[in-house]
Amino acid sequence: MAYEEVKVKKPLSLILLPILSVLTFFVVWELMVQLDVVPKTMLAAPTQVGSLFVTKLSDPNPDGATIFIHAWVSAQEAFIGYLLALGIGLPLGLFMGWFGVVRGIARPLFELIRPIPPIAWIPLTIFWFGIGLGGKVFIIWLGGVVPCVINAFVGVRMTNPTLIQMARTYGASDWQIFKTLCVPSALPMVFGALQIALACCWTNLVGAELLAADQGLGYLITMGRRLALPDLVVLGMVSVGLAGAAIGVLIDYVERRLLAGIRR
Amino acid sequence: MQVAALKPDTKQVKIEVKNLTKRFGDLLVLNRINFHVAQGEFLAIVGPTGCGKTTFLNCLSKLIPTSEGNIFIDGEVADPKRHNISFVFQEPTCLPWRTVRQNVAYGMQIKGFPAAKINERVDFMLDLVGLTETQSLYPNQVSASMVQRITVARAFAVDPDLLLMDEPYGQLDVKLRYYLEDELVKLWQTLKSTVIFVTHNIEEAVYVAERILVLSNKPTNIKAEVNVDLPRPRSLIDPDFVAIRKHVTELIRWW
Ligand SMILES: Nc1ncnc2c1ncn2[C@@H]1O[C@H](COP(=O)(O)OP(=O)(O)OP(=O)(O)O)[C@@H](O)[C@H]1O
Ligand SMILES: [Mg+2]
């Protein structure tokens, strides 16, 4: 390898600082609730949420399912929507980037639909799909497909024009240029889309479930509100956050493995 | 077919440029250029900065349309899809996601050579330019001179009817240049391709070429033609070499 990776040692303070800030955050939060700075009907303390989490591991009350069932339902919806977003958005974006015909057809429609927040589709979605899996997957897909299209499109657009000229002098067809130059050039942006789209999907999942669901982490939050249980609300929020972060780490790992193989 | 205007030669005419004119809006860059290149000839083109050398090559390779006139290969209008044209660009054009070997194979893959032939040919080319050892590395893992060798090897690999080179060694240091120029001449002698080589560097032109076209300032035309009838390998201090170099320099002094 031509370039050795430079390893920089982190000073101790830089390792301690994040831990310290997180600890402070939780301690202040706990104290605010315990000392009644914020009324207990408006916010739950971290310790309460923690103990509720332990309870909810096995107890389906009061919302009808254990925390794992909720998380599992949400994860299923999110992944189906996410995969569909990748499967449709990435090819569409790539084609839009290189083929003028596809761009001409798809771009105006895309630009029209793009500014509508996915949550605004919820009523129509309920008409079309009811409150089952299909509707939620559709909302999630809407959220994820936009960054997929944009990133893939921009990635193709960033293809070095000299490389395209080079291929042209060899007599390359449009399809050959697309396949051998545009797609590899777009890969880093496409991998960026994997992360961004997942974040969008996950965010929209909660939105979709807030309105139309009977299970899932978003539904847990809604139930907490209906039953006036702040600890349930916060537990739902924390679960969404943690699960999202965990998926992010997973994607990051997969991305790095893939990139190592494809591009150095 | 017209009588060769600039090169009355017994060798077979391969490339014929007729009346080549290029305007960018009102700016006349190339003004009615006519010349011939013989089969297997090594032609160098020198000209002042900004006179339109790159534009000229872009027209020849059909990357941009000409305003008037045309270029003919074997009597037919040049077409990258039908003719075998290679272009070595001024800037490196290796594909960073392909290994050295895959890069050399790229042109042949585009042209749809059969896999077995590609393999055999790549082996041959890698050996010729001394890249066999580094064939599985990526372009960002090899030195700048090797990067240009990859593109030169890729260009020669397709056995081009016409090989265009736009100052391929302009950004390398003197020593590497001498080395790569020798290598280029060796490649040309081995593979017998027809080469048009654009450069700023007069010494380089006299060193590699059989014939030199000197371009004028914009609107550009061919100002003079110099035959370089020196034996190879050439020596930079041979009096004949120096004489030709001085002659071309003299022509260029009036730019
Ligand atoms: N696409 C374009 N549109 C308008 N003018 C152009 C275009 N391309 C080139 N020119 C003009 O044509 C002239 C010739 O440019 P060109 O790049 O061919 O010169 P060159 O001889 O290759 O220069 P250099 O020696 O710096 O490589 C320049 O004056 C340039 O401004
Ligand atoms: Mg130039």
Side-chain angles (χ1 to χ4, degrees):
Chain A
M1 208 149 291
Y3 310 104
E4 281 289 328
E5 226 166 280
V6 184
K7 289 219 170 68
V8 183
K9 229 181 167 185
K10 266 199 197 167
L12 193 64
S13 60
L14 276 185
I15 303 173
L16 283 181
L17 269 179
I19 300 175
L20 217 64
S21 81
V22 170
L23 264 181
T24 315
F25 174 76
F26 279 108
V27 168
V28 170
W29 177 5
E30 180 79 34
L31 286 178
M32 295 236 293
V33 178
Q34 296 298 349
L35 303 176
D36 273 331
V37 182
V38 183
K40 290 207 169 57
T41 50
M42 286 169 68
L43 189 64
T47 45
Q48 277 176 286
V49 175
S51 74
L52 180 63
F53 173 72
V54 174
T55 318
K56 284 295 295 171
L57 283 177
S58 53
D59 183 3
N61 290 319
D63 44 272
T66 61
I67 188 99
F68 272 126
I69 305 261
H70 286 305
W72 175 238
V73 168
S74 289
Q76 268 179 313
E77 293 161 1
F79 268 105
I80 297 171
Y82 177 61
L83 291 180
L84 286 176
L86 297 184
I88 295 169
L90 293 177
L92 182 64
L94 292 172
F95 283 121
M96 274 169 68
W98 179 240
F99 295 101
V101 180
V102 182
R103 185 159 59 246
I105 296 170
R107 186 135 195 211
L109 292 176
F110 180 72
E111 294 295 339
L112 270 179
I113 293 173
R114 184 164 76 113
I116 305 173
I119 295 178
W121 289 83
I122 286 177
L124 278 184
T125 311
I126 295 174
F127 297 158
W128 297 342
F129 299 95
I131 62 163
L133 187 68
K136 279 171 282 183
V137 166
F138 178 69
I139 298 289
I140 291 160
W141 175 81
L142 271 175
V145 81
V146 170
C148 286
V149 170
I150 293 177
N151 268 43
F153 177 82
V154 171
V156 169
R157 289 260 140 203
M158 289 193 328
T159 309
N160 180 351
T162 315
L163 294 185
I164 295 176
Q165 291 195 330
M166 182 271 291
R168 286 245 185 267
T169 57
Y170 286 115
S173 64
D174 277 351
W175 177 248
Q176 280 177 318
I177 292 178
F178 177 72
K179 212 174 52 175
T180 62
L181 298 180
C182 297
V183 172
S185 299
L187 273 190
M189 287 296 282
V190 165
F191 279 113
L194 297 188
Q195 283 270 18
I196 301 169
L198 189 72
C200 290
C201 284
W202 196 244
T203 318
N204 278 309
L205 163 112
V206 176
E209 282 181 353
L210 281 175
L211 281 175
D214 48 14
Q215 271 177 348
L217 293 174
Y219 172 73
L220 192 63
I221 298 173
T222 322
M223 279 314 281
R225 178 180 61 83
R226 283 197 204 142
L227 303 173
L229 294 172
D231 49 351
L232 201 58
V233 173
V234 176
L235 176 65
M237 291 169 62
V238 170
S239 308
V240 168
L242 285 180
I247 299 168
V249 170
L250 190 75
I251 292 276
D252 203 38
Y253 173 77
V254 173
E255 180 181 333
R256 233 176 280 162
R257 293 296 296 268
L258 284 176
L259 272 187
I262 291 169
R263 179 173 218 175
R264 307 184 356 84
Chain B
M1 203 152 295
Q2 275 184 324
V3 187
L6 280 168
K7 173 125 181 134
D9 200 294
T10 46
K11 279 201 266 182
Q12 190 198 334
V13 172
K14 179 81 180 172
I15 315 291
E16 201 182 5
V17 176
K18 279 192 198 161
N19 222 0
L20 177 63
T21 304
K22 180 69 191 175
R23 284 183 218 94
F24 290 110
D26 287 340
L27 179 71
L28 178 63
V29 179
L30 304 177
N31 186 19
R32 303 173 145 269
I33 294 183
N34 288 287
F35 69 93
H36 289 183
V37 190
Q39 170 80 50
E41 190 178 6
F42 198 132
L43 178 73
I45 294 181
V46 293
T49 300
C51 77
K53 300 184 295 293
T54 299
T55 307
F56 180 69
L57 290 186
N58 286 344
C59 286
L60 293 191
S61 60
K62 295 287 170 174
L63 280 176
I64 58 174
T66 55
S67 303
E68 274 164 48
N70 222 326
I71 160 163
F72 300 86
I73 299 180
D74 294 326
E76 295 174 62
V77 174
D79 176 0
K81 286 225 192 319
R82 281 193 308 135
H83 292 115
N84 212 337
I85 301 174
S86 279
F87 200 138
V88 179
F89 290 81
Q90 205 161 351
E91 47 205 293
T93 49
C94 283
L95 310 183
W97 53 84
R98 282 176 170 240
T99 61
V100 170
R101 184 183 181 85
Q102 292 165 340
N103 261 293
V104 173
Y106 183 74
M108 292 188 279
Q109 285 169 354
I110 290 295
K111 290 187 178 296
F113 284 36
K117 169 128 192 248
I118 293 180
N119 253 329
E120 182 191 322
R121 186 94 181 148
V122 169
D123 283 334
F124 176 69
M125 291 307 304
L126 287 173
D127 187 42
L128 216 52
V129 295
L131 286 173
T132 308
E133 245 107 82
T134 45
Q135 59 174 305
S136 50
L137 294 180
Y138 285 86
N140 65 351
Q141 296 171 308
V142 302
S143 66
S145 71
M146 286 196 188
V147 167
Q148 261 326 15
R149 273 144 102 181
I150 297 168
T151 51
V152 170
R154 179 176 66 195
F156 271 104
V158 296
D159 196 10
D161 292 320
L162 175 58
L163 174 56
L164 304 168
M165 305 181 86
D166 190 1
E167 303 191 49
Y169 306 136
Q171 284 150 0
L172 300 175
D173 68 57
V174 178
K175 188 173 161 230
L176 270 175
R177 266 169 81 143
Y178 288 147
Y179 186 74
L180 290 176
E181 284 158 13
D182 275 334
E183 189 175 88
L184 175 62
V185 170
K186 188 180 78 182
L187 280 169
W188 168 71
Q189 286 172 329
T190 313
L191 304 168
K192 303 185 170 46
S193 309
T194 310
V195 181
I196 298 183
F197 184 93
V198 161
T199 178
H200 269 124
N201 187 316
I202 295 161
E203 189 179 73
E204 179 172 63
V206 180
Y207 190 73
V208 295
E210 292 183 289
R211 187 158 61 106
I212 301 173
L213 298 183
V214 182
L215 298 183
S216 68
N217 259 317
K218 267 186 311 206
T220 304
N221 208 321
I222 295 173
K223 187 178 178 196
E225 182 199 5
V226 178
N227 278 307
V228 188
D229 251 339
L230 299 175
R232 296 182 199 265
R234 291 175 181 171
S235 154
L236 300 175
I237 49 168
D238 171 24
D240 290 337
F241 184 96
V242 174
I244 295 176
R245 200 193 72 211
K246 283 199 171 137
H247 175 54
V248 177
T249 313
E250 206 51 41
L251 287 167
I252 280 167
R253 186 158 294 166
W254 301 105
W255 278 350

